[in-house]
């Protein structure tokens, strides 16, 4: 059953959940539970007491039997509480009505966060989903960052794995996965858009760097040669990090607003206050670099305003008195240091890009040195080129993959999320033969 929204905004936020009560006559309980399990759109919560029946407590008992035994029974009816996606609730209620069951909406309990079901559509969304799911469930109030997280990941990976030849290998692997090859790894097939994105980014950066299985000269450097201009590459890596952090702050502001209120979005270190400090420090660095006094003064005012807002929020959260003041000062200092450290951390995009280029240059130097000797050395040159590129590809793919994930989680997601939510887990219990024939 399709429970996703139809608009772009609906696809960016979790599916709206409704608190429900499932009610069925005792004699129709098996049929109603079977229909709910087949629909797979209701997260059921047992509300009755734990049964003392040894048959039900047996580990071999079916999930259907255990759920049946945990109903709250009153006046000949069995009742459960649960959660259901609002787009699917009415349709399921209509299916239950002929069986004597009802799926009634309830008021949302205070301070209870509904489970999260994300309306990810298409192969790209499903392919990027593990990036977010490995970190944790998206809170119900937050927007889904899956697509942006996937794009950020492949860009960072491509910059560290910038070689057009290696990128084309990744694209070939993606094509094989899309064609359902190899058959022995079915779980990897849905990952082909993710692999294709990483391959495309690596190929593009390889073209920019003039790298094709190393500095072979087959591609001219469109932008820069990493080993020839390392400082420029380091500045570019930090610049890419700054852009990604800015997007993370924008998402953080939206999430803080949805999680609490406009005030929470204004005062939170991962909201407007933190974004102002980040922007102010960035503009201050630009003002100092360009020797622009007006720009530096304006940047200082923006950063100071952000610190005041963040300090007010932190002070209120800390309580009152001298201890709260001390705690606020320490947290503000940590906020400034963390912003600088997070930004500098993106220099690893350039550092590992340089490592990849250096390994490629080493392999190519060994290849050309053997080739020029002629004779059997040409065979050695081919072996050096092949084995060297295989080792470089494998090592750098792992390193770039881990480092991109580290930047995603520690530098970006720490601003997007204040915490994690709880994933929606629909009940899928199916009746056994004894329930079917009861």
């Amino acid at each position: 059953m399709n429970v996703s929204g139809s608009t772009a905004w609906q696809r960016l936020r979790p599916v709206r959940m409704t608190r429900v009560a499932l009610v069925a006559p005792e004699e129709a309980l098996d049929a109603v539970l079977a229909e709910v399990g087949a629909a797979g759109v209701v997260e059921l919560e047992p509300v009755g007491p734990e049964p003392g029946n040894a048959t039900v407590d047996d580990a071999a008992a079916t999930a259907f039997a255990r759920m049946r035994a945990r109903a709250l029974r009153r006046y000949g009816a069995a009742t459960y509480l649960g959660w259901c996606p609002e787009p699917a609730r009415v349709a399921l209620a209509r299916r239950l009505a002929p069986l004597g069951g009802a799926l009634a909406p309830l008021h949302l309990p205070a301070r209870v966060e509904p489970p999260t079901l994300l309306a990810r559509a298409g192969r790209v969304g499903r392919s990027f989903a593990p990036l977010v799911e490995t970190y944790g469930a998206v809170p119900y109030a937050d927007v889904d960052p899956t697509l942006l997280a996937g794009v950020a990941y492949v860009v960072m990976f491509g910059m560290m794995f910038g070689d057009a030849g290696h990128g084309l290998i990744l694209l070939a692997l993606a094509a094989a996965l899309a064609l359902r090859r190899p058959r022995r790894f079915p779980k990897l097939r849905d990952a082909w858009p993710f692999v294709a994105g990483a391959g495309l980014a690596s190929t593009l950066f390889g073209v920019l760097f003039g790298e094709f299985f190393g500095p072979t000269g087959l591609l001219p450097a469109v932008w820069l040669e990493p080993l020839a201009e390392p400082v420029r590459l380091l500045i570019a890596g930090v610049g890419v990090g700054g852009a990604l952090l800015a997007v993370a702050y924008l998402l953080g502001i939206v999430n803080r607003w949805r999680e609490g209120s406009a005030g929470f979005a204004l005062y939170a270190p991962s909201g407007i206050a933190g974004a102002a400090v980040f922007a102010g420090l960035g503009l201050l660095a630009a003002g100092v670099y360009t020797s622009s006094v007006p720009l530096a003064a304006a940047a200082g005012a923006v950063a100071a305003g952000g610190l005041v807002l963040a300090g007010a929020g932190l002070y209120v959260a800390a309580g009152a008195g001298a201890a709260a003041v001390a705690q606020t000062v320490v947290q503000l200092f940590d906020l400034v240091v963390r912003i600088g450290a997070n930004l500098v951390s993106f220099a690893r995009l350039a550092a590992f890009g340089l490592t990849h280029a250096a390994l490629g240059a080493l392999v190519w130097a060994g290849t050309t040195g053997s080739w020029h000797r002629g004779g059997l050395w040409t065979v050695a040159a081919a072996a050096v080129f092949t084995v060297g590129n295989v080792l470089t590809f494998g090592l750098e793919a792992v390193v770039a993959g881990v480092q991109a994930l580290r930047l995603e989680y520690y530098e970006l997601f720490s601003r997007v999320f204040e915490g994690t939510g709880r994933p929606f887990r629909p009940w899928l219990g199916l009746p056994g033969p004894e329930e079917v024939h009861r």
Side-chain angles (χ1 to χ4, degrees):
M1 181 179 295
N2 182 15
V3 297
S4 63
S6 58
T7 67
W9 171 242
Q10 287 174 322
R11 288 193 293 270
L12 285 176
R13 61 183 182 179
V15 177
R16 182 182 176 187
M17 285 287 165
T18 301
R19 185 69 166 167
V20 296
L22 175 65
V23 184
E26 184 66 39
E27 62 273 13
L29 180 57
D30 287 352
V32 170
L33 283 179
E35 189 67 29
V36 172
V41 293
V42 180
E43 183 179 283
L44 282 183
E45 300 173 4
V47 292
E50 188 74 33
N53 190 318
T55 302
V56 175
D57 288 341
D58 193 326
T62 66
F64 188 93
R66 291 196 298 271
M67 182 61 72
R68 189 183 193 285
R70 293 295 307 277
L72 179 64
R73 290 174 166 82
R74 293 288 189 276
Y75 309 111
T79 304
Y80 301 88
L81 295 177
W83 297 95
C84 180
E86 180 56 29
R89 180 183 61 81
V90 175
L92 180 58
R94 289 173 180 170
R95 291 166 59 181
L96 297 179
L99 303 175
L103 194 66
L106 303 175
H107 290 294
L108 181 67
R111 296 186 179 88
V112 174
E113 183 178 16
T116 300
L117 173 63
L118 298 176
R120 292 176 177 135
R123 294 180 178 179
V124 175
R126 292 193 298 270
S127 178
F128 288 158
L131 275 177
V132 178
E133 293 171 352
T134 303
Y135 183 83
V138 176
Y140 181 73
D142 289 7
V143 298
D144 180 12
T146 299
L147 184 58
L148 291 175
V151 172
Y153 185 92
V154 299
V155 168
M156 293 188 292
F157 179 91
M159 192 168 187
M160 291 184 283
F161 199 70
D163 186 290
H166 295 167
L168 290 175
I169 292 177
L170 286 177
L171 287 173
L173 290 174
L177 292 175
L179 295 173
R180 305 297 180 181
R181 299 288 189 275
R183 297 184 181 276
R184 66 177 60 185
F185 302 114
K187 292 184 178 180
L188 293 178
R189 294 171 185 168
D190 289 338
W192 73 262
F194 185 90
V195 179
L200 179 60
S202 301
T203 302
L204 291 177
F205 274 103
V207 172
L208 293 176
F209 295 158
E211 296 280 326
F212 187 85
F213 295 109
T216 56
L218 295 176
L219 286 178
V222 176
W223 176 33
L224 59 81
E225 296 180 12
L227 297 179
E229 300 182 81
V231 175
R232 189 179 173 193
L233 185 60
L234 284 170
I235 294 174
V238 174
V240 170
L244 293 176
L245 284 173
V247 174
Y249 270 116
L250 288 176
L251 284 177
I253 292 170
V254 173
N255 286 342
R256 300 301 85 78
W257 193 304
R258 289 175 55 82
E259 290 166 1
S261 62
F264 187 34
L266 179 63
Y267 294 106
S270 58
I272 294 174
V277 176
F278 170 74
L281 292 177
L283 292 174
L284 181 61
V288 172
Y289 180 77
T290 59
S291 300
S292 174
V293 175
L295 179 58
V302 172
L307 287 173
V308 170
L309 290 174
L314 293 171
Y315 179 77
V316 171
V325 172
Q327 180 177 331
T328 300
V329 171
V330 171
Q331 289 177 314
L332 287 177
F333 178 77
D334 176 72
L335 172 63
V336 175
V337 171
R338 188 152 47 89
I339 287 176
N342 292 160
L343 186 59
V344 173
S345 184
F346 281 94
R348 70 186 64 215
L349 295 177
F352 288 103
L354 287 168
T355 301
H356 196 151
L359 289 175
L362 180 63
V363 172
W364 184 242
T367 300
T368 55
S370 300
W371 183 270
H372 290 152
R373 294 189 179 189
L376 292 177
W377 284 100
T378 58
V379 178
V384 169
F385 183 79
T386 302
V387 175
N389 272 284
V390 168
L391 292 176
T392 299
F393 179 92
L395 177 63
E396 287 299 297
V398 172
V399 170
V402 171
Q403 291 301 323
L405 195 65
R406 184 232 178 262
L407 290 169
E408 189 98 69
Y409 286 172
Y410 287 96
E411 272 65 42
L412 302 180
F413 280 7
S414 61
R415 288 161 174 82
V416 174
F417 300 121
E418 281 286 319
T420 56
R422 180 174 68 84
F424 174 69
R425 302 188 185 281
W427 184 68
L428 303 173
L430 297 176
E434 67 281 4
E435 286 88 14
V436 171
H437 296 98
R438 180 174 291 157

